Amino acid sequence: MTQATSFSSDASAKSAEGTPDSEIIAVCDTLRSSFESGVTRSYEWRIQQLRQFMRMVEENEDAMIEALKQDLRKPYFEGWSAEPQFLKAELGHTLKKLKSWMKPKRVGASMAVQPARARIVPEPLGVALIIGAWNYPIQLSLAPLIGAIAAGNCAVVKPSELAPASSALQKRLVEKYLDRDCVRVVEGAVKETSLLLDQRWDHIFYTGGGAVGKIVMAAASKHLTPVTLELGGKSPCIVDQDVDLETAARRIVWGRFFNAGQTCVAPDYILVHESLERPLLDAMKNVIKEFYGDDPKQSDDYARIINKRHFERLSKLLDSGETFVGGETDGEQCYIAPTILRGITGDEPVMADEIFGPILPVLKVANVDQAIRFVNQRPKPLALYVFTRDKQTAERVVERTSSGGVCINDVISHMLPPDLPFGGVGASGMGAYHGKGTFDCFSHMKSVLDKPTFVDPALRYPPYTEEKMKWVKRLL
Ligand code: NAD
């Protein structure tokens, strides 16, 4: 079984202009001195920057939508809802909660240290590096930045070079609206990212494929830098026998073909009860027509594949199994029709790695336990979906499988509530963010014990007499 595909860049793809090496080094030095000056630690700096951040998103929503259109031909709804609107929701929540998140938390002190007071103090980690991916090229770079600022850090953001319009826009906006001495955008591909990874960081937050995740983790180990890895994987979608079929079909089709399937939490394949395979296939076919019309290529609501290389990678997967719907391609436009494949057993190329495109293989299972076994024989996915009306079945799936997150009777939406931490497990990543999770991710929770000096019992000091030992054992 192979792990998540390496989707890393190649020279033939459209790409962002790289920031010169000398500028990268200078940016790192500037940010390090700024952090050491203490300027980012105050509530006032953080809140002012977050308000500016909100202004930046509000005033440039149209520019963001336009960049997303250039990079991925993202439909307005998909661009707006998943990028500026997502950021505004995160920012609004953070602005409201920041004061309480920053407050030290009083905790009990054990008998062994009495009298004393104990507290946990969130402190900024320092200078963070945030490396984004191309599929949600603005959200995935800027959502972590919200938490980095909220937690009082300096940060460099490196958006994906495969979405060059979004990358250039972020550089222009971040440097115009935010404190340039503390927050910067570095553009570029492997060369620039490698140079960044050679520097010392206090946290590295990476979103992308597992192959580059390993490079990031190896680089981080040189300085024992903590990492958050937001990776991908094949997210299964189990469809039980007892199910609201029409709703399941609509929700699955929406989640699979949103952003032309280039979503880390898209349902990657379906495990359907054998009695419902045909009805589900028919229902999904109808939904595709309802959503995108007779020819999805003409639909304004259907995105394109990011570049030629990914188009070619995906085109090769179309040969797996039997095409039930779709299969049409247009290399000029990097277009692949919403495609459903049937007759899949699990050994085909389309089942080897995360698809990350508009192709949906459907596998039959005899029951939910077989589906659970199938999932558990593979690397832990980022998301897992189960459609069932039976609460016990849903709970069995939740209990017996491991994944970054689970949605029951829906797809993708578990990543929206800010109080639900979003992240992977095992091969799908480590660490989590969103809402307070992002603040925590960029904070160190420092333990502080405060002891008065008005008493200083001799019990813990040598000589350790029998009498002292007797009292210690009685008290502790
Ligand atoms: P990508 O090609 O944009 O790469 C991610 C980042 O890594 C980019 O900024 C890129 O410049 C950098 N990079 C690429 N090669 C590198 C190298 N050799 N050395 C150092 N840096 C390098 O993104 P991708 O990898 O194609 O992303 C797709 C994967 O990301 C999928 O598996 C998807 O599921 C996953 N993903 C996960 C999430 C999540 O939130 N968990 C979100 C989006 C995408």
Side-chain angles (χ1 to χ4, degrees):
M1 194 66 46
T2 46
Q3 292 283 332
T5 327
S6 164
F7 292 137
S8 50
S9 53
D10 71 341
S12 65
K14 60 187 179 190
S15 191
E17 285 284 307
T19 303
D21 291 1
S22 54
E23 190 182 323
I24 293 178
I25 302 294
V27 162
C28 293
D29 289 347
T30 304
L31 265 53
R32 179 69 52 197
S33 324
S34 300
F35 182 73
E36 278 162 13
S37 78
V39 63
T40 59
R41 288 178 178 264
S42 72
Y43 172 75
E44 289 69 29
W45 182 88
R46 303 184 199 193
I47 208 80
Q48 190 268 345
Q49 287 299 298
L50 291 169
R51 287 190 185 126
Q52 274 293 104
F53 205 144
M54 184 67 109
R55 256 192 67 208
M56 174 177 92
V57 180
E58 283 172 348
E59 290 175 5
N60 295 282
E61 233 175 68
D62 289 345
M64 290 183 181
I65 304 285
E66 185 47 41
L68 296 165
K69 201 162 243 165
Q70 279 183 42
D71 289 330
L72 286 136
R73 224 199 78 157
K74 269 198 199 210
Y76 184 91
F77 177 88
E78 296 184 6
W80 178 83
S81 61
E83 312 240 13
Q85 176 51 29
F86 183 93
L87 293 172
K88 283 194 291 180
E90 281 281 305
L91 279 163
H93 184 72
T94 307
L95 282 164
K96 212 164 9 162
K97 303 276 184 172
L98 182 62
K99 204 165 238 167
S100 69
W101 294 347
M102 284 176 69
K103 266 200 196 121
K105 187 170 160 232
R106 278 284 297 273
V107 292
S110 60
M111 193 59 199
V113 296
Q114 292 296 348
R117 281 196 306 205
R119 63 185 193 271
I120 301 168
V121 183
E123 66 169 18
L125 290 172
V127 186
L129 171 63
I130 297 166
I131 304 174
W134 52 263
N135 55 331
Y136 292 88
I138 299 176
Q139 187 223 113
L140 296 174
S141 305
L142 296 188
L145 181 62
I146 296 171
I149 292 174
N153 296 272
C154 289
V156 167
V157 174
K158 210 298 290 175
S160 174
E161 70 281 12
L162 301 192
S166 303
S167 173
L169 180 67
Q170 288 175 84
K171 182 163 176 72
R172 186 165 67 73
L173 296 184
V174 164
E175 299 195 354
K176 177 173 164 200
Y177 284 84
L178 302 183
D179 183 344
R180 273 176 62 85
D181 288 337
C182 301
V183 181
R184 293 291 270 273
V185 170
V186 163
E187 288 195 277
V190 176
K191 178 171 95 58
E192 293 77 9
T193 316
S194 305
L195 181 60
L196 283 168
L197 287 172
D198 279 344
Q199 312 308 306
R200 180 168 72 82
W201 302 97
D202 300 299
H203 192 86
I204 302 178
F205 189 107
Y206 166 79
T207 303
V212 177
K214 289 179 190 168
I215 297 174
V216 169
M217 207 167 165
S221 74
K222 271 182 266 161
H223 298 287
L224 291 178
T225 299
V227 292
T228 303
L229 300 180
E230 294 287 339
L231 311 177
K234 288 184 87 61
S235 298
C237 179
I238 300 173
V239 180
D240 180 32
Q241 199 172 10
D242 180 8
V243 70
D244 176 342
L245 196 72
E246 295 302 318
T247 306
R250 217 175 304 120
R251 292 180 182 178
I252 295 168
V253 165
W254 173 78
R256 171 73 284 189
F257 301 113
F258 193 95
N259 200 26
Q262 300 161 113
T263 301
C264 56
V265 284
D268 187 274
Y269 62 94
I270 295 180
L271 295 166
V272 60
H273 189 276
E274 55 197 7
S275 66
L276 280 190
E277 188 217 20
R278 187 67 206 209
L280 180 67
L281 285 167
D282 288 337
M284 290 196 297
K285 186 178 185 174
N286 291 339
V287 172
I288 289 176
K289 194 165 168 188
E290 190 187 308
F291 284 3
Y292 308 112
D294 286 328
D295 182 7
K297 199 162 127 185
Q298 308 305 326
S299 169
D300 286 339
D301 297 329
Y302 188 64
R304 293 296 182 262
I305 305 306
I306 184 74
N307 60 28
K308 241 335 201 278
R309 193 171 55 84
H310 280 280
F311 170 82
E312 275 153 20
R313 175 182 68 77
L314 289 163
S315 298
K316 287 187 198 130
L317 302 181
L318 292 170
D319 294 336
S320 302
E322 174 198 328
T323 305
F324 182 73
V325 186
E328 302 84 12
T329 63
D330 178 349
E332 284 298 301
Q333 283 195 27
C334 284
Y335 166 80
I336 297 183
T339 298
I340 297 179
L341 304 175
R342 67 182 299 196
I344 302 291
T345 61
D347 298 325
E348 301 80 357
V350 78
M351 290 303 295
D353 295 305
E354 180 183 356
I355 298 169
F356 220 53
I359 304 171
L360 182 58
V362 177
L363 291 84
K364 287 191 284 188
V365 287
N367 50 46
V368 167
D369 289 327
Q370 192 189 344
I372 291 173
R373 275 198 303 279
F374 189 93
V375 170
N376 288 342
Q377 282 160 2
R378 286 160 171 77
K380 293 183 181 181
L382 185 57
L384 185 143
Y385 303 117
V386 53
F387 283 84
T388 181
R389 274 192 282 235
D390 186 87
K391 283 201 168 10
Q392 282 179 351
T393 301
E395 282 317 309
R396 196 155 89 241
V397 172
V398 172
E399 227 172 72
R400 295 214 201 143
T401 58
S402 178
S403 59
V406 176
C407 236
I408 301 166
N409 289 318
D410 201 6
V411 297
I412 299 180
S413 54
H414 64 294
M415 60 177 293
L416 295 177
D419 288 335
L420 280 181
F422 176 71
V425 56
S428 55
M430 59 183 74
Y433 74 131
H434 289 181
K436 184 167 187 292
T438 321
F439 176 87
D440 289 348
C441 174
F442 288 97
S443 298
H444 165 58
M445 298 301 165
K446 184 161 69 180
S447 296
V448 178
L449 188 85
D450 186 355
K451 265 181 85 69
T453 54
F454 65 88
V455 285
D456 193 21
L459 279 178
R460 71 175 176 185
Y461 299 127
Y464 305 120
T465 60
E466 267 180 40
E467 184 64 10
K468 282 183 185 173
M469 210 54 234
K470 200 173 78 195
W471 275 105
V472 168
K473 285 190 172 172
R474 196 172 291 171
L475 287 173
L476 296 185

